[in-house]
């Protein structure tokens, strides 16, 4: 036994170490087990760990060739190379957008700036010794400098107006990445809910039609009605032109495609309802919630909401998530979050309030237009939520979701997950502790995948 007589027991460092050891001893250990059916399937060699049920393998998403050809024909009256460059600039603007301030928030920020400038003047000048004319002049200076500083500090939200040229910019600068994100989200629905065969589809804020491209790519033989809603008539015309192959005299290969500038007032319900990259275009929280309520009422099965993978975009998704959960409770309507959350509790990432968004990454190939050489692979971050009306089916709904890239290290893998309990978990998987199959599944899982495990406290 080692001698410890030389240790000073009054040393605060020793007390800290003892306290830490006690805390670790009290903290319950997690018991992590692989789903039994998957463990058996791996043992019998039915599939390999990198193909387990939670893997959402989409690879590098590419816009279909017929769509790319239609895009080139649609831009034939404009210099394609210049459009690509302008599209990249518009993409940067859209990625940096922030949520419009509410009127009371805007007034508060302006008043804070005005008070700050006023205090700075008062500290430099002797106000009591000034005449009324001097005070009036000083107030005018405070007001002018306050306006100037407010313009520099406060985000000035403005609606994006899409005319013919800006619609083309959007097409070349945004369509490939938006299509990739929507394919990734909708493919998960198709993979996990194989009985879902939508007959109708509505896309609010449809833009150039990326939602229709993605939905028809997966369920073309089932969807009998496509409804695209966009406030810009130029966007609608461009979206229709692309579906016609870039020539207006050609027929659309899809059945019953309709374009509108406003949501239909009828009570018609649709199997698949989509709102992608649209909430930023609404001027206030009230407008956003009104739109969400209308979309919810038009949804019969799935409602998909997608935004930028920035913290602002994530905040809008969380706002929509909380609102729709409350709406379902008010109406006693059976529904659940299908993805990405494995729970219906408050978002643990948003609760942390550390400025880190819950987002996911998709790899996509840039548009093959011939204007910028060979298409290359790019990364795109997005945030989203998918609601499904009805009660959840199957156990996969409760599997933890990987919310950050898996860290594969020597003989261990670190997975950061959002769990069924509504909390963020970081688990270090090893073959010796968790078994060969679970370790290999964890190591093969990617950001955004589901990990088919059960997490509980050791008894």
């Amino acid at each position: 036994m080692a001698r410890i007589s030389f240790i000073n027991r009054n040393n605060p460092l020793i007390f800290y170490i003892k306290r830490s050891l006690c805390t670790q001893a009290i903290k319950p250990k997690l018991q992590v087990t692989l789903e039994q059916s998957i463990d058996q399937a791996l043992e019998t060699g039915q599939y390999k760990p990198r193909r387990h049920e939670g893997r959402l393998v989409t690879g590098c998403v590419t816009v279909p060739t017929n769509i790319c050809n239609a895009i080139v024909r649609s831009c034939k009256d404009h210099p394609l190379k210049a459009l690509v460059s302008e599209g990249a600039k518009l993409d940067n603007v859209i990625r940096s957008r922030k949520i419009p301030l509410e009127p009371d928030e805007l007034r508060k920020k302006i008043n804070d700036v005005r008070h700050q400038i006023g205090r700075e003047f008062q500290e430099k000048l002797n106000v009591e010794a000034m005449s009324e004319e001097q005070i009036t002049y000083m107030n005018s200076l405070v007001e002018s400098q306050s306006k100037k500083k407010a313009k520099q500090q406060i985000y000035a939200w403005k609606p994006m107006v899409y005319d013919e040229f800006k619609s083309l910019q959007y097409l070349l600068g945004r369509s490939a990445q938006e299509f990739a994100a929507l394919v990734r989200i909708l493919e998960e629905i198709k993979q996990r809910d194989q009985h879902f065969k939508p007959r109708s589809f509505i896309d609010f804020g449809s833009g150039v039609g990326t939602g229709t491209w993605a939905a028809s790519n997966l369920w073309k033989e089932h969807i009998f009605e496509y409804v695209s809603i966009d406030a810009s008539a130029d966007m609608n015309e461009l979206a229709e032109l692309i579906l016609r192959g870039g020539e207006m005299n050609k027929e659309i290969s899809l059945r019953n495609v309709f374009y509108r500038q406003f949501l239909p007032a009828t009570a018609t319900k649709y199997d698949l309802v989509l709102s992608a990259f649209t909430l930023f275009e609404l001027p206030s929280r009230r407008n956003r919630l009104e739109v969400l309520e209308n979309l919810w009422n038009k949804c019969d099965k799935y409602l998909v909401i997608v935004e930028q993978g920035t913290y602002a975009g994530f905040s809008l998704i969380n706002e929509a998530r909380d609102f729709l959960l409350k709406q379902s409770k008010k109406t006693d309507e059976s529904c659940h979050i299908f993805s990405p959350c494995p729970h219906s509790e408050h978002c643990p990432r948003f609760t942390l309030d550390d400025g880190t968004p819950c987002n996911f990454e998709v790899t996509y190939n840039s548009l093959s237009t011939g204007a910028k050489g060979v298409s290359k692979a790019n990364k795109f971050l997005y945030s989203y939520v998918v609601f499904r009306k009805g009660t959840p089916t199957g156990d996969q709904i409760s599997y933890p979701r990987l919310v950050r890239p898996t860290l594969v290290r020597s003989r261990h893998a670190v997975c950061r997950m959002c769990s069924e309990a509504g909390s963020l978990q970081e688990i270090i998987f090893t073959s010796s502790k968790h078994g060969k199959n679970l370790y290999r599944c964890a190591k093969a899982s990617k950001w955004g995948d589901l990990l088919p495990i059960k997490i509980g406290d050791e008894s």
Side-chain angles (χ1 to χ4, degrees), residues 59-61 95 176-177 180 361-367 372 374-381:
C60 189
V61 182
R95 291 187 189 220
Q177 59 208 45
E361 185 181 73
V362 65
T363 306
Y364 70 97
N365 283 318
S366 56
L367 286 175
K372 51 182 178 180
V374 180
S375 61
K376 61 178 181 179
N378 302 277
K379 304 286 187 181
F380 179 61
L381 293 174

Side-chain angles (χ1 to χ4, degrees), residues 121-132 134-135 138:
F121 269 86
Q122 289 179 5
E123 290 173 359
K124 294 177 182 178
L125 302 173
N126 184 6
V127 180
E128 295 180 356
M130 295 173 63
S131 65
E132 289 187 8
Q134 290 173 325
I135 292 175
M138 185 193 74

Side-chain angles (χ1 to χ4, degrees), residues 18-19 57 128 141 149 172 193 197 243 256 261 311 320 386:
K18 287 182 178 180
R19 184 179 178 184
V57 184
E128 295 180 356
L141 287 178
K149 195 165 185 179
L172 293 175
D193 189 356
K197 295 176 173 54
L243 289 186
N256 302 318
Q261 287 184 273
Y311 191 79
V386 179

Side-chain angles (χ1 to χ4, degrees), residues 91 94-95 170-178 277 308 380:
D91 178 39
I94 292 174
R95 291 187 189 220
Y170 194 96
L171 173 65
L172 293 175
R174 296 277 304 176
S175 59
Q177 59 208 45
E178 290 188 6
F277 309 99
Q308 290 288 137
F380 179 61

Side-chain angles (χ1 to χ4, degrees), residues 327-365:
Q327 283 295 109
S328 63
K329 290 179 181 178
K330 281 183 182 179
T331 58
D332 290 328
E333 193 169 16
S334 178
C335 76
H336 62 277
I337 297 177
F338 180 84
S339 66
C341 316
H343 60 87
S344 296
E345 307 297 327
H346 290 293
C347 175
R349 179 67 67 187
F350 195 78
T351 304
L352 283 176
D353 194 23
D354 61 353
T356 304
C358 178
N359 55 16
F360 301 91
E361 185 181 73
V362 65
T363 306
Y364 70 97
N365 283 318

Side-chain angles (χ1 to χ4, degrees), residues 1-2 21 26 81 90 97 118 199 244 248-250 263 266 290 320 346 361 367 371 407 454 456:
M1 180 180 294
L21 291 173
I26 295 172
K81 189 173 181 179
L90 179 62
R97 295 201 85 186
R199 304 280 291 177
R244 293 183 183 275
M248 285 304 294
N249 59 348
K250 284 189 175 182
L263 275 170
T266 59
E290 285 177 355
H346 290 293
E361 185 181 73
L367 286 175
L407 304 177
K454 296 294 182 182

Side-chain angles (χ1 to χ4, degrees), residues 123-156:
E123 290 173 359
K124 294 177 182 178
L125 302 173
N126 184 6
V127 180
E128 295 180 356
M130 295 173 63
S131 65
E132 289 187 8
E133 290 81 4
Q134 290 173 325
I135 292 175
T136 303
Y137 178 69
M138 185 193 74
N139 288 336
S140 65
L141 287 178
V142 169
E143 191 65 25
S144 63
Q145 289 198 21
S146 298
K147 289 180 179 179
K148 182 179 179 180
K149 195 165 185 179
K151 287 182 179 179
Q152 296 172 346
Q153 293 183 352
I154 301 173
Y155 178 74

Side-chain angles (χ1 to χ4, degrees), residues 70-312:
I71 289 173
V72 173
R73 294 191 196 100
S74 301
C75 302
K76 61 185 177 183
D77 295 332
H78 299 81
L80 199 57
K81 189 173 181 179
L83 275 178
V84 170
S85 176
E86 292 298 317
K89 293 178 183 177
L90 179 62
D91 178 39
N92 289 333
V93 171
I94 292 174
R95 291 187 189 220
S96 62
R97 295 201 85 186
K98 297 181 181 179
I99 303 172
L101 292 171
E102 297 298 306
D104 55 340
E105 293 177 331
L106 183 59
R107 284 193 296 269
K108 183 179 182 304
K109 284 184 175 291
I110 292 174
N111 287 332
D112 289 344
V113 172
R114 187 182 289 115
H115 292 325
Q116 180 185 351
I117 298 294
R119 283 194 298 270
E120 291 175 359
F121 269 86
Q122 289 179 5
E123 290 173 359
K124 294 177 182 178
L125 302 173
N126 184 6
V127 180
E128 295 180 356
M130 295 173 63
S131 65
E132 289 187 8
E133 290 81 4
Q134 290 173 325
I135 292 175
T136 303
Y137 178 69
M138 185 193 74
N139 288 336
S140 65
L141 287 178
V142 169
E143 191 65 25
S144 63
Q145 289 198 21
S146 298
K147 289 180 179 179
K148 182 179 179 180
K149 195 165 185 179
K151 287 182 179 179
Q152 296 172 346
Q153 293 183 352
I154 301 173
Y155 178 74
W157 179 91
K158 291 181 180 179
M160 302 283 284
V161 179
Y162 290 97
D163 55 15
E164 180 184 358
F165 184 73
K166 186 161 281 189
S167 298
L168 291 171
Q169 286 180 265
Y170 194 96
L171 173 65
L172 293 175
R174 296 277 304 176
S175 59
Q177 59 208 45
E178 290 188 6
F179 173 75
L182 295 179
V183 165
R184 174 70 184 264
I185 295 166
L186 297 182
E187 274 194 350
E188 180 180 356
I189 296 176
K190 185 175 183 179
Q191 178 179 324
R192 291 175 51 194
D193 189 356
Q194 297 180 9
H195 298 291
F196 177 62
K197 295 176 173 54
R199 304 280 291 177
S200 55
F201 168 71
I202 186 170
D203 185 359
F204 177 76
S206 54
V208 296
T210 49
T212 298
W213 305 351
S216 61
N217 190 50
L218 296 173
W219 296 292
K220 183 178 180 180
E221 68 276 17
H222 301 293
I223 300 178
F224 280 85
E225 182 183 16
Y226 299 83
V227 180
S228 297
I229 312 293
D230 200 284
S232 170
D234 291 302
M235 276 285 203
N236 288 333
E237 290 177 7
L238 180 57
E240 183 178 0
L241 181 62
I242 293 168
L243 289 186
R244 293 183 183 275
E247 298 179 15
M248 285 304 294
N249 59 348
K250 284 189 175 182
E251 291 186 0
I252 298 177
S253 61
L254 304 177
R255 293 167 289 192
N256 302 318
V257 180
F258 304 100
Y259 293 93
R260 302 283 185 271
Q261 287 184 273
F262 305 98
L263 275 170
T266 59
T268 307
K269 288 186 177 288
Y270 299 84
D271 292 338
L272 181 59
V273 180
L274 172 66
S275 171
F277 309 99
T278 305
L279 296 179
F280 271 111
E281 305 306 317
L282 302 176
S284 68
R285 185 176 188 272
R286 179 180 177 181
N287 292 121
R288 293 193 297 270
L289 299 186
E290 285 177 355
V291 166
L292 288 169
E293 185 175 8
N294 286 334
L295 294 178
W296 183 246
N297 292 334
K298 292 189 178 301
C299 173
D300 192 41
K301 292 180 182 176
Y302 282 97
L303 172 59
V304 180
I305 305 169
V306 194
E307 283 299 337
Q308 290 288 137
T310 59
Y311 191 79

